[in-house]
Amino acid sequence: MKTALYENKLIKLETLEREKFQKIYNAGKRDELSCSSCGQPVRLYLGIDREPYFFHVYSVQKICSDPSPEQNQVKEEVPAYVEQNGFRLPKGRAITAEKKNSKPFRPAKRIQTDSPFRFSNQSIQNLGEPYLQKLAKQGIVLDRNQAAAVVKTDGALLVLAGAGSGKTRVLTARTAYMLDVKRIDPRTIMLVTFTSKAALEMKRRLLSYPNMNSTTINQLVTGTFHSIFYRILLFHSPEKWSGEKLLKKDWQRDRILKEAGKELGLSEKEFAFDLALQQIGFWKNSLIAPNAVNPESKWESDVSFLYQKYEDYKMQTDLFDFDDMLVGCYQLFTSSPQLLERYQNRFHYFLIDEFQDINKVQYELIKLFSAKNKNVFAVGDDDQAIYSFRGSDPRYLLEFETDFPNAEVIALNQNYRSTHEIVVAANQIISSNKSRRPKKMAAQYSSAQHPIVFFPYDEEEEATMIVTDLQEKMENGANPSDFAILFRTNAASRAIFERLANSNLPFAIDQDADSFYERRIVKSMLAFLKISINEDDTAALSDILPPLFLKQAVLKDIKATSILHDCSCLEALGQVKTGHSFQEKKLKNAVALIRSLKTCKPLGAIEVIEKEIGFQEFLKKRGTEANQLEKGSDDVRDLKVVAKNFATVEALLEHARHMAAMNKEVKKMGVHLNNKITLSTIHRAKGLEYGTVYVIGAVDGSLPHDFALGNADQAAMEEERRLLYVAVTRARNQLYLSIPQRRRGKKAQRSRFLAPLHS
């Protein structure tokens, strides 16, 4: 059905304004819609594979006819007029009033490929290497390029392991080949992975190979860069590098920085100390000492000061952090040539996983250790280099032959994970990058399911359509663990989190993904609303002080004034003496404005805070604190999108409280759920795979992010394209790309990265 009754008026989907679909959907969930034929409750279907329609709630099989054209005709309502300043102005139309030239619903579109599937059997099952034949009989079958990477054990070798190309199989098969066939002493082999989990998986897989046993495998030096080189430091200086001296927790390092920040007058509620720690880590991993930092902004200047103080504190207290494990090891070997030579004689072979994610200090350590034997086996994919913010640099992979002149390069170009249709789409996306090793992945199987792009109106409808699609697939027997919803930043997950939280579907989120409503700017904005309802809410009062350009020390004075003059804390705020008459007058005006917020519509209240109380000015002066990915102004726009869904300030605040609590509950429960939908940033999803993947927000400003769009450095844009490539190649069977028409309340444009797909 294409018609329904809402508030006793006829709704016609053909003429309903596009932006009203979600509102009508919500009305149906509240049983406020009825069938235009039989009067029974109906709801609006908003999914991906089918266009919107109304269906009966309690009898989904029931089909009623839409009214005939004659019945369907609703007399055009003549809007009433109001007198204003001598002019007659029409009142706004009701939601049910028809609007001509309404933008129609755009149906989902399948991405067609111009490249037909041709199966190419790359198996070397019948070729001559006896060991590989032995592996094949055990079900460990390698293709030609994989086999070449396994048996070439001497010299430097770079293996370009495209997405889904079986790099873990190659690493383990090569290690087993070196031990079983080449009879290489396992103690001379260093196998470096980027996670402890990956190192354990390598050992587990090695046990399945012929003639492998735990005794031999445990003699290999395996682990992450940090674990391997920390063991070396601990061996040579056990007292200096004792685990008791390690700053394990972020809050420990955060506390050191905050104490140092007092010398610069940095406010804990205003300065992004967490981002400062990230920047310090970037400098350390790039081997940039505090005195070598060249600040490019006031923020970087402040962070370089904190960096120096942080290093001084650790030296005085004899403490160290995780980054020191690598930097300390580098300093140890560059200052002790004889010790370095001992290790060069000890280790003859180096196998390095995820080579595209290597940073400067890691690369320099490998160069030092391998300088004598030059047997470096590096496995990576420059098309999946997405960690530049941590100091990783794909140039080490791109320029591998510069430091290893006689190196060979082998490309693993068979994708064993995804369908031909997904692989072709991924190839088309990534081929636009200039700084990459030329390669084209080929799939091993095809499917009738082409990747799909769909076009929700905004973030809210995007979430509704995805959850509807998930529910349909679960009803047809799909497992929740088959699905992942991927996004550029955690901030972009707000709507989909809320929709899933209100569904009965099991899902999990990253443990470090805080609730949208706990974000600093959002929390501060909501604090204005809280104190308008409870004028003695001191926690909220503390959160509104920074936007009012007041220090936290003022809070004590406000409490004292409140007691002394028997008034609310909000009233006492208007009596604060700052020594600046302009600011004092502004505070008095702010009190009246804050009080008025509780009677405003939520969206209107936010705009009062933003424009009249001065929040907008606060954001401009505060700057982005180097957080170019998630700006405070973006948070305000996101909050406005939420606010439109609520009639009262109290309802919005209750929703925010509920969702913040749900965030904690989902994180707690997610650890124990095995069969669950995954909500994840693209960065976190790297290395994983799912049957079906939904990539949300495939529009300019999200993917690529605003930061890259405004950055003159082409490298930033190419990394954004690699992010989309990584997201696409997580899917085995089905891929959905969402292109909302509006984002954060503004018109959105399809991601420029999708142009090659003719979508």
Side-chain angles (χ1 to χ4, degrees):
M1 297 189 303
K2 294 294 185 179
T3 62
L5 292 173
Y6 175 61
E7 296 181 342
N8 295 319
K9 294 181 181 177
L10 191 66
I11 299 281
K12 292 187 287 184
L13 291 180
E14 291 87 350
T15 56
L16 182 65
E17 294 175 44
R18 185 67 185 83
E19 61 268 27
K20 302 291 176 60
F21 277 52
Q22 182 65 42
K23 188 167 186 177
I24 292 298
Y25 173 87
N26 292 339
K29 297 281 282 187
R30 297 190 298 267
D31 285 341
E32 295 173 2
L33 299 181
S34 59
C35 176
S36 56
S37 179
C38 70
Q40 294 299 307
V42 295
R43 289 182 184 172
L44 177 62
Y45 172 86
L46 274 180
I48 296 175
D49 290 332
R50 288 172 285 172
E51 294 192 31
Y53 63 91
F54 293 106
F55 64 94
H56 287 80
V57 179
Y58 304 113
S59 179
V60 292
Q61 302 300 325
K62 183 177 181 181
I63 300 176
C64 289
S65 299
D66 288 316
S68 65
E70 293 77 17
Q71 295 172 313
N72 207 350
Q73 285 180 353
V74 178
K75 191 175 181 180
E76 180 81 15
E77 292 185 25
V78 179
Y81 288 90
V82 293
E83 294 283 344
Q84 185 173 321
N85 298 326
F87 294 94
R88 294 180 70 205
L89 301 176
K91 287 183 178 178
R93 291 177 181 268
I95 186 174
T96 53
E98 292 184 19
K99 182 179 179 181
K100 295 180 180 178
N101 301 320
S102 177
K103 191 171 184 178
F105 182 90
R106 187 177 176 186
K109 180 180 177 182
R110 298 183 184 278
I111 298 174
Q112 302 295 331
T113 173
D114 297 330
S115 175
F117 175 68
R118 292 187 179 88
F119 177 68
S120 174
N121 187 358
Q122 297 291 319
S123 169
I124 49 86
Q125 201 160 355
N126 297 315
L127 297 184
E129 173 60 55
Y131 182 76
L132 300 183
Q133 295 298 317
K134 189 190 298 184
L135 294 186
K137 289 178 181 178
Q138 291 193 208
I140 306 172
V141 181
L142 303 174
D143 64 39
R144 289 182 176 82
N145 290 357
Q146 289 175 332
V150 166
V151 300
K152 186 190 180 306
T153 57
D154 293 325
L157 176 62
L158 173 64
V159 175
L160 301 175
S165 62
K167 68 179 178 64
T168 303
R169 172 168 290 196
V170 169
L171 274 163
T172 50
R174 177 186 172 88
T175 305
Y177 180 80
M178 292 168 71
L179 296 172
D180 190 16
V181 178
K182 292 292 187 176
R183 300 295 179 183
I184 294 171
D185 185 345
R187 292 169 297 181
T188 66
I189 300 173
M190 182 185 291
L191 174 56
V192 186
T193 62
F194 264 74
T195 65
S196 299
K197 184 179 177 181
L200 291 173
E201 175 63 14
M202 295 278 187
K203 285 187 173 182
R204 186 189 68 77
R205 288 206 195 184
L206 277 168
L207 284 171
S208 66
Y209 284 80
N211 304 322
M212 290 294 103
N213 57 68
S214 297
T215 302
T216 300
I217 292 169
N218 287 334
Q219 290 182 69
L220 295 166
V221 177
T222 63
T224 64
F225 275 102
H226 285 84
S227 67
I228 291 172
F229 289 107
Y230 175 59
R231 276 179 270 166
I232 292 173
L233 288 172
L234 195 60
F235 177 78
H236 291 287
S237 303
E239 292 184 5
K240 180 179 179 181
W241 297 99
S242 166
E244 297 174 355
K245 298 178 180 181
L246 173 63
L247 294 167
K248 297 179 182 178
K249 304 294 184 182
D250 284 344
W251 66 263
Q252 295 173 302
R253 294 178 291 147
D254 197 52
R255 184 175 59 187
I256 298 170
L257 257 60
K258 286 178 178 177
E259 191 62 33
K262 291 178 181 178
E263 295 185 41
L264 295 177
L266 300 178
S267 166
E268 292 186 18
K269 283 187 174 282
E270 295 180 46
F271 190 81
F273 286 98
D274 56 337
L275 296 173
L277 276 172
Q278 181 177 302
Q279 181 63 49
I280 289 171
F282 176 87
W283 283 329
K284 292 181 75 170
N285 286 317
S286 301
L287 292 176
I288 300 174
N291 59 1
V293 172
N294 184 22
E296 295 182 359
S297 66
K298 170 67 166 58
W299 188 85
E300 284 196 2
S301 178
D302 290 341
V303 176
S304 64
F305 174 85
L306 297 178
Y307 181 16
Q308 183 65 66
K309 292 291 182 180
Y310 177 69
E311 294 300 306
D312 290 345
Y313 179 87
K314 285 191 294 141
M315 185 174 292
Q316 293 162 7
T317 55
D318 204 21
L319 298 173
F320 66 95
D321 62 21
F322 285 102
D323 294 326
D324 290 324
M325 294 176 182
L326 299 184
V327 175
C329 214
Y330 177 76
Q331 292 171 342
L332 172 66
F333 288 113
T334 51
S335 61
S336 308
Q338 292 179 330
L339 181 62
L340 174 61
E341 187 176 9
R342 280 173 51 191
Y343 278 90
Q344 289 173 337
N345 292 330
R346 159 75 192 277
F347 291 108
H348 298 174
Y349 297 91
F350 302 88
L351 290 78
I352 307 160
D353 192 15
E354 303 287 5
F355 196 72
Q356 77 280 349
D357 295 329
I358 205 166
N359 61 37
K360 184 173 179 61
V361 65
Q362 293 165 344
Y363 188 60
E364 293 299 328
L365 281 167
I366 288 298
K367 281 170 59 182
L368 286 174
F369 272 52
S370 66
K372 189 170 185 179
N373 293 293
K374 303 284 187 183
N375 295 321
V376 176
F377 180 76
V379 183
D381 182 11
D382 49 311
D383 290 335
Q384 297 185 70
I386 58 174
Y387 291 111
S388 64
F389 64 93
R390 293 200 311 216
S392 300
D393 193 338
R395 284 183 301 175
Y396 300 125
L397 185 150
L398 294 171
E399 301 170 7
F400 188 75
E401 296 93 330
T402 302
D403 290 308
F404 301 94
N406 298 316
E408 291 187 33
V409 179
I410 295 174
L412 305 184
N413 56 7
Q414 298 297 310
N415 184 310
Y416 296 95
R417 173 191 300 154
S418 308
T419 66
H420 169 73
E421 292 72 20
I422 292 172
V423 171
V424 169
N427 285 339
Q428 290 174 329
I429 288 169
I430 201 62
S431 63
S432 296
N433 269 9
K434 306 300 181 189
S435 299
R436 65 185 292 262
R437 298 261 185 173
K439 69 183 86 67
K440 191 173 183 180
M441 301 301 293
Q444 291 294 296
Y445 65 102
S446 183
S447 166
Q449 295 179 308
H450 290 264
I452 291 173
V453 290
F454 63 104
F455 309 92
Y457 179 74
D458 60 6
E459 304 95 318
E460 300 294 331
E461 193 176 283
E462 177 181 64
T464 295
M465 294 172 78
I466 291 173
V467 170
T468 297
D469 196 64
L470 286 167
Q471 289 170 331
E472 291 175 346
K473 286 177 167 59
M474 306 291 172
E475 289 169 3
N476 289 325
N479 290 317
S481 58
D482 289 337
F483 301 93
I485 302 165
L486 306 183
F487 31 84
R488 176 65 180 85
T489 64
N490 278 316
S493 67
R494 191 268 315 159
I496 189 65
F497 172 87
E498 294 181 3
R499 204 70 79 252
L500 281 169
N502 288 322
S503 75
N504 60 354
L505 300 177
F507 71 102
I509 58 174
D510 294 338
Q511 288 299 305
D512 59 355
D514 291 330
S515 168
F516 168 75
Y517 303 99
E518 293 295 320
R519 293 173 66 81
R520 184 182 307 185
I521 295 302
V522 176
K523 191 175 180 181
S524 184
M525 185 68 88
L526 293 176
F528 282 97
L529 303 182
K530 290 178 181 178
I531 205 164
S532 75
I533 294 171
N534 177 6
E535 296 189 5
D536 288 313
D537 187 336
T538 53
L541 185 62
S542 174
D543 286 331
I544 72 170
L545 292 180
L548 295 173
F549 300 99
L550 295 173
K551 300 290 185 185
Q552 288 298 315
V554 171
L555 190 58
K556 292 181 181 178
D557 297 333
I558 292 173
K559 290 178 180 178
T561 301
S562 172
I563 296 170
L564 188 63
H565 294 280
D566 191 24
C567 63
S568 69
C569 287
L570 179 59
E571 287 178 296
L573 174 66
Q575 301 176 40
V576 168
K577 302 299 179 185
T578 65
H580 303 283
S581 58
F582 173 77
Q583 188 179 20
E584 290 172 5
K585 183 180 179 181
K586 198 169 181 180
L587 286 173
K588 288 180 181 178
N589 291 337
V591 170
L593 288 168
I594 292 169
R595 274 188 169 146
S596 72
L597 297 177
K598 60 187 174 187
T599 60
C600 297
K601 293 286 186 183
L603 181 58
I606 291 171
E607 289 177 342
V608 169
I609 298 168
E610 186 181 24
K611 297 172 184 176
E612 297 184 45
I613 294 178
F615 205 91
Q616 204 170 56
E617 182 185 356
F618 161 68
L619 287 178
K620 286 179 182 176
K621 289 190 176 181
R622 174 180 177 271
T624 63
E625 294 181 334
N627 191 357
Q628 295 156 315
L629 290 184
E630 297 181 3
K631 299 177 183 176
S633 56
D634 290 344
D635 286 345
V636 174
R637 285 194 284 271
D638 283 336
L639 187 59
K640 286 181 179 179
V641 173
V642 179
K644 290 178 181 178
N645 299 318
F646 298 93
T648 66
V649 165
E650 289 92 338
L652 173 60
L653 290 175
E654 177 55 35
H655 175 75
R657 279 191 291 269
H658 178 59
M659 284 301 135
M662 283 296 296
N663 181 277
K664 294 175 183 176
E665 186 65 22
V666 168
K667 283 195 281 192
K668 189 194 308 180
M669 296 295 295
V671 176
H672 307 290
L673 286 174
N674 292 321
N675 197 9
K676 59 200 174 188
I677 300 161
T678 297
L679 260 68
S680 173
T681 62
I682 300 170
H683 284 98
R684 289 279 186 174
K686 185 173 173 292
L688 303 176
E689 60 182 71
Y690 305 90
T692 298
V693 168
Y694 303 85
V695 181
I696 66 175
V699 295
D700 281 355
S702 177
L703 254 175
H705 196 277
D706 282 323
F707 160 68
L709 289 172
N711 195 325
D713 184 4
Q714 187 62 26
M717 187 64 80
E718 294 211 344
E719 180 156 331
E720 291 293 306
R721 188 178 280 107
R722 292 195 293 268
L723 267 169
L724 180 57
Y725 176 79
V726 167
V728 166
T729 54
R730 298 312 93 200
R732 292 194 300 268
N733 305 312
Q734 185 65 78
L735 171 68
Y736 292 93
L737 298 166
S738 171
I739 306 176
Q741 297 172 35
R742 297 182 72 81
R743 175 176 175 265
R744 290 176 168 154
K746 294 184 177 181
K747 185 177 180 181
Q749 298 293 333
R750 178 196 64 180
S751 171
R752 60 195 62 197
F753 299 155
L754 298 181
L757 304 184
H758 308 294
S759 58

